[in-house]
Amino acid sequence: MGIHAGTSGTRELCTDTLRCASGSQEDDISRGEMDIVQELAKLPQDIFDNIYSLLPMQDAARAACVSHHFLCSWKHFPRLVFNSSTLGLDKLKLPLDEEVNHFTKIVDHILMNHSGVGVKKLVLQLFLCPSIDASYLDKWLQIAVKPGIENIVLEISSETAYNFPCSLLSNKIAGATIQSLVLSSCAFHPTAALGWNKSLTALSLYMVRITEEELGQFVSNCLSLVKLSLSYCNDVVSFRAPCPLQLEHLHVTFCEKLHVIEISAPKLLYFVFGENLIRISLGVEVKHVRMVGYQQPNLLFHARTMVPIFMPNVERLSLESVGEKIKTPLMPSKFIHLKYLDIYIMESFSGYDYFSLISFLGASPSLETFIFRVRRCYAVCHDSTFGDLQSEMHLRQVPECRYDNLKNVTITGASAAKTMIELASHIVQNASALSSMVMDTARGCGRRTGKTNRCSYMSKEALMEANKTVEAVERFIRRNVPSSANFKVLPPCRMCGVI
């Protein structure tokens, strides 16, 4: 259905894209570069097209402005990615209304002049256009979504009311070749008439309006689906599928009404979910679990009570909490096979008892690696060991606690909080196989994460707290570290205090 343009019209659209992407008003190409273009033009057309398809979209548009061969190939360029960056709008710094009009005009111009043949990937990220007319979206999708397309990404503003045309996913159009579908902030109502889909392997729905019946039926008809992500899909109350699924990765978070998952996914390897689920049946013992709770506090409490019940054979467990108000309880339930535990707290509440995390350690007899990351939203701990540094301090102990398989421990965002010192001291005294332990007092040091000069900023008060933490660790913990263990306490680097 694409509209074919003449040479002058296509050259105009290439120049528009070039100008937006580079900010240049001229086609600046050297004689040597022109010679290379002429040599490439001698290649067979299929080889030439294949080389051209490897270019980024901006470079492909530039090349089409100076060469007829490139211009012909541009008409069926396979990767069309439209956002403010690829179109250079982030450089133009236009007023919002002009930016929206400019964006819409350019995308419409390019797609109207594209043949619609050969597109493998279409990305429409239209966050800048909250008031875009649905007719534009329908037209653009009709042009670019043809047999042979493999990836579709449609991300629009939540203010836009749009129903994704599910007929495009029929086997006559994209259903036979599409491998990945990403939808954001639209309605998606697939019907049984679409039939079986043998090619779709990844589906991501974010803020998508879809009913639980539509969801269950659609994923059941996707015979090759291995990755499914649902976020903020608030019309779904339960997720059930009438047929076994081939899923290997399932991500379900922030769907506030979703409380029940009952599916059969015997190949499932990785499961990510939130704290609102009250019934989980997956038809398999998942080994790798990640639990995310950024909508309400006390995720660690929920995880300690829920995970051993729903997933008793988990081997890798990652927990991400917005903050904890209550202690993690000691319980008889066990994580018998857990070998890797990663806990992250974005702590917005002071006074959490870090020492209570021994509830997880004591319940995990096979645990080998423990990673604990804290990102505190305040500079100084209210229960800091400041006043105790010059005297002995009573640290809590729990008798008959042994962590005989625990070998590697990392604490990032370590503070001088008394309960933090107690936790670390308890670990070094009861982990007989401990080989490595790192206490990092920075909130995210770029040098230690491989992101040079990209440290998380620390205020003057936070830097002082970190120095006190180093002093507290040296005084109360190091003396108890086994001689066989490599123990390090790391202060912030010189860039951690720089904005």
Side-chain angles (χ1 to χ4, degrees), residues 354-366:
Y354 300 117
F355 187 71
S356 69
L357 292 180
I358 65 171
S359 173
F360 285 96
L361 303 181
S364 310
S366 302

Side-chain angles (χ1 to χ4, degrees), residues 164-324:
F164 182 83
C166 295
S167 59
L168 294 177
L169 303 180
S170 69
N171 287 320
K172 294 182 179 180
I173 304 179
T177 58
I178 185 172
Q179 299 173 13
S180 175
L181 176 63
V182 177
L183 299 178
S184 173
S185 301
C186 65
F188 181 55
H189 299 300
T191 65
L194 290 177
W196 302 102
N197 186 302
K198 299 180 180 180
S199 60
L200 189 66
T201 60
L203 174 65
S204 177
L205 304 179
Y206 179 88
M207 294 182 68
V208 168
R209 299 178 294 282
I210 184 173
T211 69
E212 55 195 68
E213 293 81 8
E214 293 166 340
L215 175 64
Q217 186 62 55
F218 182 71
V219 298
S220 295
N221 289 343
C222 296
L223 304 181
S224 301
L225 191 66
V226 295
K227 294 183 179 179
L228 174 62
S229 177
L230 305 173
S231 293
Y232 295 99
C233 296
N234 294 329
D235 292 338
V236 180
V237 177
S238 63
F239 175 31
R240 295 181 172 92
C243 303
L245 307 178
Q246 301 302 309
L247 292 178
E248 296 178 6
H249 299 260
L250 176 59
H251 185 137
V252 181
T253 53
F254 311 124
C255 300
E256 60 183 25
K257 295 182 181 179
L258 179 58
H259 300 307
V260 176
I261 296 180
E262 292 180 344
I263 61 174
S264 175
K267 296 183 179 180
L268 194 63
L269 301 173
Y270 186 46
F271 180 41
V272 182
F273 69 106
E275 71 280 355
N276 56 326
L277 288 172
I278 59 176
R279 189 160 75 248
I280 303 173
S281 177
L282 304 172
V284 68
E285 296 289 350
V286 186
K287 305 297 184 182
H288 190 174
V289 173
R290 176 172 160 235
M291 193 171 177
V292 180
Y294 291 153
Q295 292 183 309
Q296 62 185 34
N298 302 323
L299 176 125
L300 299 185
F301 175 88
H302 293 292
R304 183 65 184 90
T305 56
M306 289 175 55
V307 176
I309 298 174
F310 294 129
M311 287 151 283
N313 294 322
V314 61
E315 295 180 0
R316 293 176 63 91
L317 178 61
S318 299
L319 306 173
E320 300 178 18
S321 171
V322 70
E324 300 293 312

